[in-house]
Amino acid sequence: LNGGNSNGSTNSYVVSVGGYGFSNINDAIAHADNGEVIALEENFQNNNSLVIANKDITLDLNNHNLIGNGNDGAILAENGKVTLTGEGLVHGTLGADAYSMGVWAHDAHVVINDGLYTNETDGSERGTDLIYASGNSLIEINGGVFEAATPQWTLNVKDADYKAGKANIIVKGGSFKNFDPANCLA
């Protein structure tokens, strides 16, 4: 394991799980048991998506930034449950297909409690969904700040999956820049 006790250690770790530090976030996700909290211990930038698959975990932003390639979402949750909590930033950069999603839930349950969610655009509307649900997915937004590069696509559900009753986004709280989740086309 790449982990070591982060309490009292002089080592710097990207994330911690249960008091143990990991220099590689993917190792931390792989070793985390269902129900565990993975906390960012420093800012993290990734040239790919951070994929969280087949897990039931909480990702605590812990006042840090998570920046990733938005082509498949800075965070891509698949086949599990991911709870995003803590102050910090999740930012989707512009990917090769001009997609810049912050969070993509595919066949997953995502709960967003806190944080700032942003993305960027090349000026087109293609793929600039900030928070996106597809497949059998549910995204619950309890809080957080959402500032999409293309405001009308702050939240979006794949049309066919929504019409089939498979995917949905439920908004219970949060702040949305230039977007009204109760009156939108998403």
Side-chain angles (χ1 to χ4, degrees), residues 78-93:
E78 293 184 302
N79 302 308
K81 181 178 180 186
V82 177
T83 301
L84 300 169
T85 192
E87 296 303 321
L89 169 74
V90 173
H91 179 78
T93 61

Side-chain angles (χ1 to χ4, degrees), residues 32 48 55 75 86-88 102 109 126 140 142 171 173:
N48 301 307
K55 294 281 185 170
I75 298 172
E87 296 303 321
H109 182 184
R126 182 170 182 263
E140 294 179 67
N142 298 314
V171 177

Side-chain angles (χ1 to χ4, degrees), residues 94-173:
L94 201 59
D97 290 337
Y99 284 42
S100 62
M101 292 178 281
V103 177
W104 179 8
H106 181 73
D107 293 329
H109 182 184
V110 173
V111 178
I112 300 174
N113 291 325
D114 302 298
L116 171 62
Y117 298 83
T118 63
N119 63 352
E120 51 196 60
T121 182
D122 63 359
S124 71
E125 291 184 20
R126 182 170 182 263
T128 57
D129 309 308
L130 180 58
I131 308 296
Y132 184 68
S134 67
N136 287 310
S137 292
L138 173 62
I139 298 175
E140 294 179 67
I141 299 175
N142 298 314
V145 177
F146 302 86
E147 298 180 0
T150 309
Q152 67 263 31
W153 300 117
T154 300
L155 306 178
N156 196 15
V157 178
K158 184 174 180 178
D159 291 345
D161 296 337
Y162 179 76
K163 289 176 184 172
K166 296 180 353 179
N168 201 5
I169 297 175
I170 297 172
V171 177
K172 299 175 184 174

